[in-house]
Amino acid sequence: MATSSNYTSLVARAPTPIALPLRIFGQDVSYISQIAIGASGKKFNVLADSGSAEFWVLSEESEQLGSHNGIGPKSSSTFHVDDENDKWGTEYEDEATVTGFIADDKLTIGGVSLDAMPFGVAETITGVLVQAFEDGIMGFAPSVHAVTNSPTPIEAFAEKSLIPARISGWRLSRLADGGRGGEVMLGGTNAAKFDASTLIEVANVDTTDHFWQVGVSTVKIDDQTVVPTALKATMDTGASDIRANPAVVEALLAKIPGEEEEEGGDFVLPCDTQSKLAFTIGGKEWNVDPRDLALDAGLDDNMCLSHISGDPDLAEDEIVLGATFLKNVYLSLNLDTNKIGLAEPK
């Protein structure tokens, strides 16, 4: 007896990186991505933050919800809490705090979904978070010390083979250039966003497993070496400026013509400064566009707030490189190799 059969070949589709657009809020102050949480795919605007490992959004029951989106059982039938009395909270470097509890729910990023993703549900927020645009924060730092005791979204997606690797690639756009093209890629890097011939990779020098840090051998202003000793620089997409110990900041700003210190301790610069700031990382000088050094805050006499600020909590060998620096590079963070990549952006 003759038979005929139709055979269907099922080939597992290899995971591909997820390109997530980054939207600018304010004058290059925050870089926001949109994700979805819950069975109905409720949208949340979250700060994409390489400087922390916490992932949280506001509770739908928070008294501080205002115009923000919140999550909870009213919003999602798949929202799950083991014990709402098991409190969670975290504090950021700027002393802003978040308190609430831990839940899990379906998380969707760029159309790719993961069930039962743990995250913090914020009932109370303080500090700069109260006036912030975002509904929460999505961290990209190593999760070893995350207060939620859970993987970050990029780690969780890689663990479930939803993306090919625990790598994130960052292109921060600039409002002065139209504000378009900002992106964080989960699972790889976007070759269309950087000049591959300029790419360097350096080891993460952080010994605490908290941050992404590189070694900076020199810092220059207008080709003059201002900081000749080595620094540890934290790559922080959640920070808008460059922060360092006040002694380091004073040494840097003293080399910028027209710099002044205000009564409250803030520094101001001419809005049209042409001074060139450069950091030597991995044997290569990385320049900061002069437009990124000054923030127009409506001051008189063509003066702007300095985007280089002092932080007494930082040691003299520490510096935080936020958007002021990161707009000038393509950044890759590789959890699999514990390496950081920098390249000239396109």
Side-chain angles (χ1 to χ4, degrees):
M1 181 176 65
T3 61
S4 63
S5 301
N6 292 324
Y7 294 93
T8 301
S9 176
L10 299 177
V11 179
R13 181 178 296 176
T16 58
I18 300 169
L20 194 60
L22 289 176
R23 173 185 171 192
I24 298 174
F25 177 72
Q27 296 183 56
D28 302 348
V29 171
S30 302
Y31 289 82
I32 306 297
S33 57
Q34 190 172 85
I35 60 172
I37 299 177
S40 61
K42 188 173 185 179
K43 300 293 192 298
F44 289 84
N45 294 311
V46 292
L47 178 73
D49 184 15
S50 67
S52 73
E54 303 301 328
F55 174 40
W56 63 268
V57 295
L58 280 161
S59 166
E60 64 186 11
E61 300 294 339
S62 172
E63 294 181 358
Q64 296 171 294
L65 189 62
S67 61
H68 290 290
N69 287 331
I71 194 67
K74 296 177 184 177
S75 302
S76 174
S77 61
T78 49
F79 182 81
H80 172 257
V81 181
D82 280 330
D83 183 1
E84 199 164 322
N85 293 318
D86 185 12
K87 296 301 181 181
W88 158 88
T90 191
E91 181 175 356
Y92 291 92
E93 295 291 323
D94 58 10
E95 299 184 351
T97 63
V98 186
T99 54
F101 56 93
I102 297 173
D104 64 73
D105 206 340
K106 180 180 180 181
L107 171 63
T108 302
I109 301 177
V112 180
S113 297
L114 174 66
D115 291 332
M117 175 69 203
F119 58 94
V121 180
E123 297 173 300
T124 304
I125 53 178
T126 68
V128 296
L129 294 172
V130 176
Q131 302 298 326
F133 169 78
E134 60 265 19
D135 304 315
I137 294 178
M138 182 166 64
F140 285 79
S143 68
V144 177
H145 299 291
V147 183
T148 56
N149 197 31
S150 303
T152 60
I154 191 171
E155 292 171 348
F157 272 54
E159 182 180 342
K160 296 296 184 180
S161 298
L162 298 175
I163 54 176
R166 299 187 304 164
I167 302 171
S168 57
W170 301 77
R171 177 69 175 101
L172 303 191
S173 56
R174 182 183 288 109
L175 200 61
D177 292 334
R180 293 178 293 275
E183 173 190 274
V184 56
M185 178 165 275
L186 284 72
T189 57
N190 187 344
K193 297 285 186 181
F194 65 93
D195 180 352
S197 68
T198 66
L199 176 66
I200 65 160
E201 281 193 314
V202 295
N204 182 6
V205 298
D206 176 47
T207 58
T208 67
D209 294 324
H210 278 88
F211 303 112
W212 290 105
Q213 291 184 331
V214 299
V216 176
S217 56
T218 58
V219 183
K220 294 181 179 180
I221 292 281
D222 294 329
D223 295 323
Q224 298 182 61
T225 299
V226 182
V227 184
T229 56
L231 301 174
K232 288 190 298 183
T234 299
M235 300 299 187
D236 188 354
T237 62
S240 62
D241 56 1
I242 293 172
R243 299 197 311 272
N245 182 275
V248 175
V249 170
E250 289 179 18
L252 281 172
L253 295 180
K255 297 295 184 180
I256 298 180
E259 163 271 334
E260 297 176 6
E261 184 175 2
E262 301 282 87
E263 287 185 8
D266 291 329
F267 288 90
V268 295
L269 309 172
C271 294
D272 56 359
T273 181
Q274 293 301 305
S275 289
K276 296 177 182 178
L277 172 63
F279 296 87
T280 303
I281 301 169
K284 174 178 168 57
E285 281 194 5
W286 302 91
N287 298 308
V288 175
D289 190 313
R291 295 176 298 169
D292 297 326
L293 297 179
L295 172 66
D296 186 357
L299 305 179
D300 296 331
D301 302 322
N302 190 40
M303 298 301 285
C304 285
L305 286 176
S306 169
H307 251 159
I308 305 171
S309 58
D311 184 343
D313 291 332
L314 293 173
E316 290 194 12
D317 67 343
E318 296 177 322
I319 192 167
V320 175
L321 299 181
T324 297
F325 172 79
L326 295 173
K327 285 180 285 187
N328 296 276
V329 299
Y330 187 88
L331 172 71
S332 65
L333 306 173
N334 191 328
L335 279 161
D336 293 327
T337 62
N338 200 30
K339 288 186 176 181
I340 297 164
L342 294 176
E344 298 285 349
K346 289 183 179 179

